[in-house]
Amino acid sequence: MVARIFVLLLLWLLPAYPAVVAQNVTPEAITIEHGLSQGMIFDICQTRDGFLWVATKDGLNRYDGYNFKTFTNDPFDPFSLAENTVTALFEDSRGLLWVGTESKGLDLYNPRSGRFYHLAINFKGDKKLPDSDVYSIGEASDGAIYLLQQSNGLLRIVIPDVWKTQLPAEPDLSQARITRFGNERFMNSGAADEQPCGNPEPQKNGNLLVFSNKNPYWVNVADGTVQIATDRQWQELEARKKRDIWADFPFGLICFRNGNGRVVKYPPGMKINWAMVKPADDGHFWVSVNHQLWLLSPGEDLDFSKPDWLVDENISTVATDRNGNIWVGTQGYGLRKINPGKKLFHTGAAGASIWGLWRDTRGGYFCKIVNEVFPYHPATGKLGPERVFPNGPKRLLDFCIEPSGHIWMLGRGDEDNGRAELRHYSPDYAFLQSYPFDFYSYVYARLLRSRQGNIWISGLNCQMICFNPQTTRFEYFDYAALFGENANTVRVFALAEDGNGVLWIGTQQGLVKGIPNGRTFDFQLIQADAQKKQGLSNNSISCLLSDPADPGGVLWVGTKGGGINRLDLHRNHFQHITIKDGLPDNVIYGILPGDKKTCGAAPTADCSK
């Protein structure tokens, strides 16, 4: 079970598959102003060399993350693109890019030579469907290429063996063997409105499963037969964990589940400008309707009221790159790039410099801004106007909260005269008592309530003070031997106790582990090491949290520059969570538990969850 945690950048770290809130993600627009040749996008594909290819109404674009290179037809170059309107893209297992066009059939791009080769498709096709554009390309397990055309139906292309290692000297690929399975082959149910749809499913034996709006069809490439798929054939597909097949038609969406097609009707009154269905990895499917986008898992139903993402224009296609970014093509307005990691974090208290974040036992949050404390409301992402603890010490250093709701505050006067005080407050923030003690403080001094009910206080010169509320006595410990002559430079920024009773001390020079040994502690120092990929990512520790769901197994570590570290206490391995995973910043200032599903954190200048 994943605990809910707050991170101070402040952040909410969600579990591996969070519920998506579409409105919280703002896509980045990439248009003709950035070098894209045309705004009408038909398909997107990332090839193994890292380039992102974009099929448009006016040219094939290759994007390297910074600049676009556009490929168009040159009538004086036979190895140029056959025509400028590109409708489909697919990279095969040999690393060759197949390019579908609007009226010139299929092109093949060799990235090693930079040449385009051409395969004209001359079937007469279906006169009722005048469109000859290629709208889907794929590869069967035997290496054959298949494609779908509106007019010709399913085409299977087998290239000569010699082309698998070296393409011909001329741009003509007419020697490829093409087998046509016309649209009429997929209209055997007797229904007048039956028509084939896209996204055939290749099988291990080279056969294909193709769908109409009524039935799944089994295409046997060996004997050229097409028949309605049997239950057994569908179960073979089930074994590959693709339980659902989605397709789009002018009148609605179709979901095939367990071999049975079901029309998913649009909500009454919903105007449909454009709908799109495209396979994703691991049996998932992309579905878009107008500006709305869903990524559906196997067995998941489509909820029109809860899109996973929203973009500002109608969606024509979608793809993901190897970094997990989502690339959305629009109808006339270019690309939209979505970083799905950003949806893991919801920002609040924008513009405020947050020095600390706490949650009381009643579910209320309060933030420290320099020496003042204000309530924070996660639902609105706003700070309250009224101060909390308005009559507290001049310097408010830290707080800790008991399970009973009682609050302990560490503070001192304006001058550091070697004295400080612990203040005790009731759950409703009423002052109860003050306990003065000898203490040379610093601005980031920390408090921690142990499982035994004692209050730990971090001091200068590697000193730790333990206050027993029952006896009102202060006891002093130190770990200066770990740092030698640098002990007087060590500053503690975080304290935690795990479920095993181990004391954790986060400093700007590493993480200190205090193992109980009778009435004292054995202290150990953990520091970052570039040779240890599963070690601590950064020595500057800013915050610690023992995982509420697994206090004996997981410790959360916030760093200044290394993002969040998740320490597996059983294996002593650190997992690193950084801006690459969606964090707004790698500088983390605080972590708090939330509910059972999320975790919150605070970055440099705002609250995120």
Side-chain angles (χ1 to χ4, degrees):
M1 178 170 59
V2 178
R4 186 172 177 130
I5 313 283
F6 259 116
V7 189
L8 226 61
L9 245 155
L10 294 170
L11 298 174
W12 289 90
L13 175 64
L14 300 179
Y17 297 97
V20 177
V21 182
Q23 291 80 359
N24 286 339
V25 182
T26 302
E28 175 187 354
I30 301 174
T31 67
I32 57 175
E33 295 179 354
H34 301 89
L36 190 64
S37 66
Q38 221 275 345
M40 178 66 78
I41 311 299
F42 292 113
D43 204 0
I44 304 169
C45 172
Q46 186 180 36
T47 49
R48 62 190 63 184
D49 54 12
F51 287 116
L52 191 77
W53 294 83
V54 184
T56 80
K57 193 174 182 180
D58 187 19
L60 175 61
N61 291 245
R62 188 181 72 187
Y63 185 53
D64 63 5
Y66 301 96
N67 301 295
F68 285 96
K69 178 177 181 179
T70 303
F71 298 86
T72 57
N73 174 255
D74 180 351
F76 301 102
D77 180 4
F79 287 98
S80 69
L81 189 65
E83 72 167 312
N84 290 346
T85 300
V86 179
T87 55
L89 299 169
F90 177 76
E91 184 186 32
D92 69 15
S93 59
R94 297 172 285 269
L96 302 174
L97 181 66
W98 294 85
V99 181
T101 69
E102 183 179 43
S103 62
K104 298 293 184 180
L106 195 63
D107 271 16
L108 178 61
Y109 176 73
N110 184 350
R112 291 176 286 277
S113 66
R115 288 180 165 186
F116 288 89
Y117 297 80
H118 317 299
L119 178 60
I121 299 173
N122 298 315
F123 297 104
K124 293 181 179 180
D126 190 336
K127 295 180 180 179
K128 296 179 181 179
L129 298 171
D131 296 329
S132 60
D133 60 296
V134 176
Y135 65 89
S136 179
I137 309 173
E139 182 176 10
S141 60
D142 60 0
I145 299 299
Y146 61 83
L147 60 90
L148 285 166
Q149 281 184 301
Q150 288 280 14
S151 58
N152 287 312
L154 174 70
L155 304 179
R156 184 173 185 269
I157 301 167
V158 179
I159 65 175
D161 288 340
V162 66
W163 291 1
K164 296 178 182 179
T165 55
Q166 184 174 353
L167 291 170
E170 299 299 322
D172 182 17
L173 297 182
S174 59
Q175 293 185 37
R177 187 170 75 252
I178 305 176
T179 304
R180 176 177 178 259
F181 299 87
N183 291 321
E184 69 281 357
R185 305 284 297 276
F186 306 99
M187 302 173 67
N188 296 330
S189 68
D193 61 345
E194 185 173 15
Q195 54 182 290
C197 60
N199 306 321
E201 288 288 330
Q203 307 301 297
K204 293 180 179 179
N205 58 7
N207 295 332
L208 294 171
L209 197 63
V210 179
F211 299 86
S212 75
N213 58 321
K214 300 295 182 181
N215 291 297
Y217 285 85
W218 189 263
V219 179
N220 189 315
V221 298
D223 59 18
T225 59
V226 176
Q227 60 183 5
I228 295 175
T230 64
D231 289 342
R232 178 180 177 181
Q233 289 165 337
W234 183 265
Q235 291 302 319
E236 291 179 9
L237 188 70
E238 287 278 289
R240 298 175 57 208
K241 299 182 179 179
K242 291 193 174 183
R243 296 183 294 145
D244 295 354
I245 301 295
W246 287 82
D248 60 291
F249 290 88
F251 50 80
L253 300 168
I254 300 288
C255 176
F256 282 91
R257 183 169 295 168
N258 300 322
N260 299 312
R262 174 175 59 90
V263 176
V264 180
K265 296 182 178 179
Y266 297 120
M270 185 179 189
K271 182 181 178 181
I272 308 302
N273 298 316
W274 193 264
M276 181 277 305
V277 170
K278 191 174 181 180
D281 294 334
D282 300 323
H284 292 63
F285 267 83
W286 293 107
V287 177
S288 72
V289 178
N290 300 338
H291 299 198
Q292 301 173 306
L293 179 64
W294 294 262
L295 179 58
L296 299 179
S297 304
E300 181 181 0
D301 291 324
L302 180 63
D303 185 344
F304 286 98
S305 67
K306 296 179 180 179
D308 293 340
W309 294 274
L310 292 175
V311 299
D312 57 336
E313 300 295 341
N314 289 326
I315 298 170
S316 56
T317 188
V318 64
T320 54
D321 64 25
R322 63 186 58 177
N323 294 320
N325 296 309
I326 301 170
W327 294 85
V328 177
T330 70
Q331 287 189 293
Y333 296 91
L335 296 166
R336 299 295 183 268
K337 178 184 177 182
I338 299 172
N339 180 350
K342 290 184 177 179
K343 76 186 177 200
L344 300 177
F345 303 94
H346 311 289
T347 302
S353 181
I354 309 296
W355 288 39
L357 174 68
W358 297 266
R359 186 182 72 167
D360 64 29
T361 55
R362 297 176 297 180
Y365 293 88
F366 53 92
C367 295
K368 176 186 173 186
I369 301 177
V370 190
N371 285 307
E372 296 183 317
V373 179
F374 296 91
Y376 172 70
H377 306 291
T380 64
K382 304 291 185 181
L383 294 171
E386 301 296 329
R387 290 177 57 191
V388 184
F389 312 111
N391 299 315
K394 293 291 184 179
R395 301 284 182 180
L396 302 180
L397 301 177
D398 200 13
F399 298 86
C400 68
I401 302 170
E402 296 184 357
S404 64
H406 284 250
I407 299 169
W408 293 90
M409 175 197 294
L410 175 64
R412 66 169 174 81
D414 276 332
E415 301 296 328
D416 186 2
N417 58 7
R419 297 288 288 175
E421 64 173 319
L422 270 178
R423 284 200 172 197
H424 189 193
Y425 289 85
S426 68
D428 59 1
Y429 300 173
F431 173 71
L432 298 177
Q433 193 168 350
S434 175
Y435 300 91
F437 66 106
D438 293 332
F439 181 69
Y440 281 97
S441 66
Y442 61 105
V443 68
Y444 298 112
R446 291 291 178 249
L447 290 182
L448 170 70
R449 182 185 184 274
S450 72
R451 296 175 184 273
Q452 291 75 31
N454 296 327
I455 307 298
W456 284 94
I457 309 159
S458 67
L460 293 174
N461 302 317
C462 298
Q463 190 176 70
M464 291 293 299
I465 302 99
C466 182
F467 173 71
N468 186 328
Q470 300 299 320
T471 64
T472 69
R473 293 182 58 186
F474 291 87
E475 191 173 0
Y476 294 76
F477 302 85
D478 80 75
Y479 51 92
L482 295 178
F483 296 94
E485 61 184 16
N486 294 320
N488 63 343
T489 67
V490 174
R491 298 291 182 270
V492 175
F493 291 89
L495 296 174
E497 182 189 38
D498 66 28
N500 308 306
V502 174
L503 181 65
W504 295 90
I505 306 167
T507 81
Q508 89 282 26
Q509 298 184 37
L511 181 62
V512 176
K513 180 179 182 181
I515 304 171
N517 183 5
R519 294 186 57 84
T520 186
F521 288 84
D522 294 330
F523 292 103
Q524 300 173 3
L525 178 61
I526 301 172
Q527 292 182 312
D529 184 341
Q531 302 303 315
K532 297 180 180 179
K533 294 183 178 181
Q534 293 181 315
L536 186 64
S537 68
N538 191 291
N539 283 335
S540 186
I541 311 299
S542 56
C543 49
L544 298 167
L545 176 71
S546 179
D547 193 310
D550 188 10
V554 175
L555 180 74
W556 295 89
V557 182
T559 73
K560 293 183 180 180
I564 302 169
N565 285 220
R566 181 184 182 274
L567 172 58
D568 184 327
L569 297 173
H570 302 301
R571 298 188 301 165
N572 290 320
H573 287 174
F574 290 84
Q575 175 190 353
H576 309 143
I577 303 168
T578 68
I579 56 175
K580 294 180 180 180
D581 306 295
L583 279 176
D585 199 303
N586 281 336
V587 177
I588 310 297
Y589 282 115
I591 305 178
L592 280 182
D595 63 22
K596 293 181 179 179
K597 293 184 178 179
T598 61
C599 155
T604 308
D606 60 14
C607 257
S608 305
K609 79 174 183 179

